[in-house]
Structures are given as structure tokens and as C-alpha cells.
Amino acid sequence: MKSDCIKTIVCQERKKDPIEMFCSGRLVKVCAPMVRYSKLAFRTLVRKYNCDLCYTPMIVAADFVRSLKARDSEFTTNQGDCPLIVQFAANDARLLSDAARIVYPYANGIDINCGCPQRWAMAEGYGACLINKPELIQDMVKQVRNEVENPRFSISIKIRIHDDLTRTVDLCRKAEATGVSWITVHGRTVEERHQPVHYDAIKIIKENMSIPVIANGDIRTLKEAENVWQITGTNGVMVARGLLANPAMFDGYEETPLRCIWDWVDIALELGTPYMCFHQHLMYMMEKITSRQEKRIFNALSSTSAVLDYLTNHYGI
């Protein structure tokens, strides 16, 4: 990992600084932290198609600190993987600061997951339950700032909103006062899953902040991203499922182009992506361009060679 450290520092010296991006006045396009999916190979792919900033999947800070095996399996990067934010699930300031110290040489910053609504995460004191614990968030931010003194190393949070938006604004103001670099707002409450996103709430939060704010939730096309950016007045937009379905979305494609599919094949094979992940990404990408019968055939394939044969026979190289 020492060589990766050197390469990452070189990358940072090329001025790929997230804070500078957010202050540029243009739309900053962000790939969300997605469990199992937003790993190095997928980040490499979306960066080819105009994605400005990528997050790792959520990593449990306690496991990351205590287990070398967890570190090796959960976090990989390389020279081109920049700028990069490592997202952690944490409920302990000391463990989070230890985790931040470990990834500091290889990333531009860390993000604290304060928005995951899954029951297991909230039962462990992670994710969206933290929006009701502003003092704990403040303590975690302070500890990381004390551990990593470089002011260019960002500390951000990703949140959901309260039913009472004044509580969310208060939370964000406290986080800002403690030294948070930016805040990503998913415009739904903890209880909401598929209900419309409250972009008006994101706009109000942005109007009350001096630091950058990223809008998140139900963005599927570049046009939608630009509309949300304009409506909310935020500094950027974060996309999850929209990028899974179309990794070239930020480059203006309405559906995944064949070139992007072959780019994924090349990247995944080069980086040794496990078959399940390799195949699953292709199923997402090909959702809109295959018939129901073709989906049944493709989804049943069980080996890399079978997938390559199918793609070659149906779409050429």
C-alpha cells in the first residue's frame, strides 16, 4: 500500500480537490456509496463517463480498525481513483478517528453515514439514528480533526431529513460549526422509501448553510441532475441507482451505451472483479436494452466465459 500512498498524493497535487470542485460554481457529479457496488472497478468505470467524485461503499469503522482482513476486502484503490471519499458507519469517535488515520494517505476524505435506514444499521447505532444524536456527530468530527490535521482532508456527513425540518437545519448548523466540510442530504425521512424526494427541504437546508451541500435522491438522468441542482441551489448531486442502471449517465447518455458495457468488461477483468459482482452490474446496465426473453437468458449465465460469449454474439466487440 505504500506505493498507492505515493500515487494518491501525486493525484491530489493535480488539484482534484473536492472542496475546490464545490466552489467552482458548476454542477459537481457524485457517485454514491453503495454497498457491494461502488467498489474500485465501478468507480473506475463512472470516472470514464464524467463522474467528478466517488465514494466507497459504507465500511463499518470498528471492523476496519480491528481486522486486517476487513481492511483488505473492504478498501482498495489505485492511482486513478481520485478524488475519493471513504464512507464509514460509526458510533464511536475513537474508532472513527483510527479508521480515518488508516485511510488518510489513500483518500481525499471520509464521510460519516448518518442516513442509512436499514434496521441492522440503526440497531447497531449506525446510519440514520445519528441524525438524532448531533452531539455524537460533533464528537466524531472533532476527534477526526484532531487525528488528521491536514485541513484539505475532508470530513463530511450524509443524512436524511426529520419530519420537523428545523431539527435537520439545527443538526446541519451544529455539524458545520464543528468543522464538517460538506453535507449530503437525501431528501427523505427515515421512514420514507419510495415516496417523492423533498427537494424543497434540501433547498431550505442549503439556504441555511455556508458550507457546500449535495442533493441526493431519485436522480436518473443528467437532465434530472441539472434540474435538481437548479431547484435546490446545491453544489452538486449524488446518484446511486441511476448510475447502476446507466454508468454513462453523467456523460448525457439516456441509456447505457454498448461502449460502456465493454469498458466495464475490460475494467472488471483487469481488476479481478468477482463473477457475482461482474454479472450483477451487467444485469443493471442492460436492463433497458434487452427484451424480457434476453434477460432470462443473460441473467441465468453462470460464468465469465459464458457472459463474454453472449455479449460477443449479441452485440459484437
Side-chain angles (χ1 to χ4, degrees):
M1 296 202 43
K2 186 176 180 181
S3 61
D4 282 340
C5 171
I6 295 170
K7 291 175 183 177
T8 303
I9 291 171
V10 170
C11 186
Q12 289 173 339
E13 287 175 353
R14 293 176 188 159
K15 305 300 182 185
K16 289 186 176 181
D17 188 316
I19 296 296
E20 291 180 8
M21 288 182 179
F22 291 131
C23 295
S24 68
R26 65 176 181 85
L27 170 62
V28 179
K29 300 174 284 294
V30 185
C31 178
M34 293 176 279
V35 175
R36 295 186 301 277
Y37 294 122
S38 52
K39 294 194 173 184
L40 175 59
F42 188 70
R43 299 195 301 266
T44 303
L45 179 66
V46 297
R47 290 187 196 277
K48 287 177 68 73
Y49 290 91
N50 212 23
C51 182
D52 298 311
L53 175 64
C54 291
Y55 281 53
T56 68
M58 180 183 74
I59 299 170
V60 177
D63 296 340
F64 190 79
V65 169
R66 293 165 180 161
S67 168
L68 177 61
K69 183 178 179 181
R71 292 197 289 277
D72 289 342
S73 64
E74 294 295 325
F75 179 59
T76 55
T77 188
N78 60 21
Q79 180 180 1
D81 191 28
C82 177
L84 177 66
I85 304 301
V86 182
Q87 190 189 66
F88 285 111
N91 58 15
D92 181 279
R94 182 71 258 166
L95 285 173
L96 178 64
S97 63
D98 287 344
R101 178 175 47 81
I102 293 169
V103 301
Y104 163 65
Y106 314 104
N108 295 77
I110 67 158
D111 183 82
I112 306 170
N113 187 317
C114 305
C116 180
Q118 295 185 40
R119 290 180 181 177
W120 75 266
M122 296 184 66
E124 294 289 334
Y126 305 140
C129 68
L130 291 176
I131 64 173
N132 298 315
K133 301 177 180 179
E135 292 79 14
L136 176 55
I137 294 174
Q138 288 179 299
D139 187 31
M140 290 194 286
V141 173
K142 289 176 182 176
Q143 290 255 20
V144 174
R145 285 286 179 223
N146 289 336
E147 186 70 36
V148 182
E149 296 181 353
N150 185 348
R152 292 185 65 189
F153 188 78
S154 65
I155 306 170
S156 56
I157 61 174
K158 184 174 186 291
I159 66 170
R160 284 190 171 228
I161 61 174
H162 297 88
D163 288 316
D164 178 2
L165 195 60
T166 59
R167 294 181 62 197
T168 312
V169 171
D170 181 64
L171 166 71
C172 292
R173 284 174 171 166
K174 287 178 177 177
E176 178 180 9
T178 312
V180 161
S181 306
W182 69 80
I183 298 172
T184 301
V185 182
H186 181 95
R188 291 188 176 99
T189 66
V190 176
E191 293 76 23
E192 292 175 325
R193 293 295 185 272
H194 304 292
Q195 293 88 338
V197 178
H198 303 287
Y199 296 119
D200 56 336
I202 300 177
K203 182 177 187 291
I204 291 170
I205 292 167
K206 171 58 183 172
E207 290 171 346
N208 281 272
M209 297 291 106
S210 298
I211 56 174
V213 174
I214 303 174
N216 174 233
D218 277 3
I219 298 168
R220 304 301 179 105
T221 67
L222 180 58
K223 185 175 181 180
E224 287 181 5
E226 291 169 342
N227 287 341
V228 169
W229 178 53
Q230 294 289 346
I231 291 168
T232 59
T234 49
N235 303 83
V237 297
M238 175 183 283
V239 178
R241 286 177 292 180
L243 280 173
L244 280 182
N246 179 10
M249 185 196 100
F250 284 144
D251 221 16
Y253 291 91
E254 294 295 320
E255 59 187 30
T256 309
L258 292 179
R259 179 166 63 92
C260 181
I261 291 173
W262 284 110
D263 281 340
W264 169 246
V265 171
D266 290 341
I267 292 166
L269 295 182
E270 180 182 352
L271 293 177
T273 301
Y275 175 74
M276 289 290 288
C277 180
F278 169 68
H279 189 213
Q280 188 69 51
H281 273 294
L282 286 170
M283 286 192 282
Y284 279 118
M285 292 181 205
M286 297 170 64
E287 177 71 24
K288 291 184 178 181
I289 63 175
T290 52
S291 67
R292 185 175 299 177
Q293 181 179 359
E294 287 173 332
K295 285 185 181 65
R296 283 199 298 267
I297 295 171
F298 184 80
N299 294 357
L301 299 177
S302 58
S303 71
T304 300
S305 60
V307 167
L308 296 179
D309 288 343
Y310 181 94
L311 293 175
T312 301
N313 292 336
H314 287 74
Y315 301 107
I317 297 178

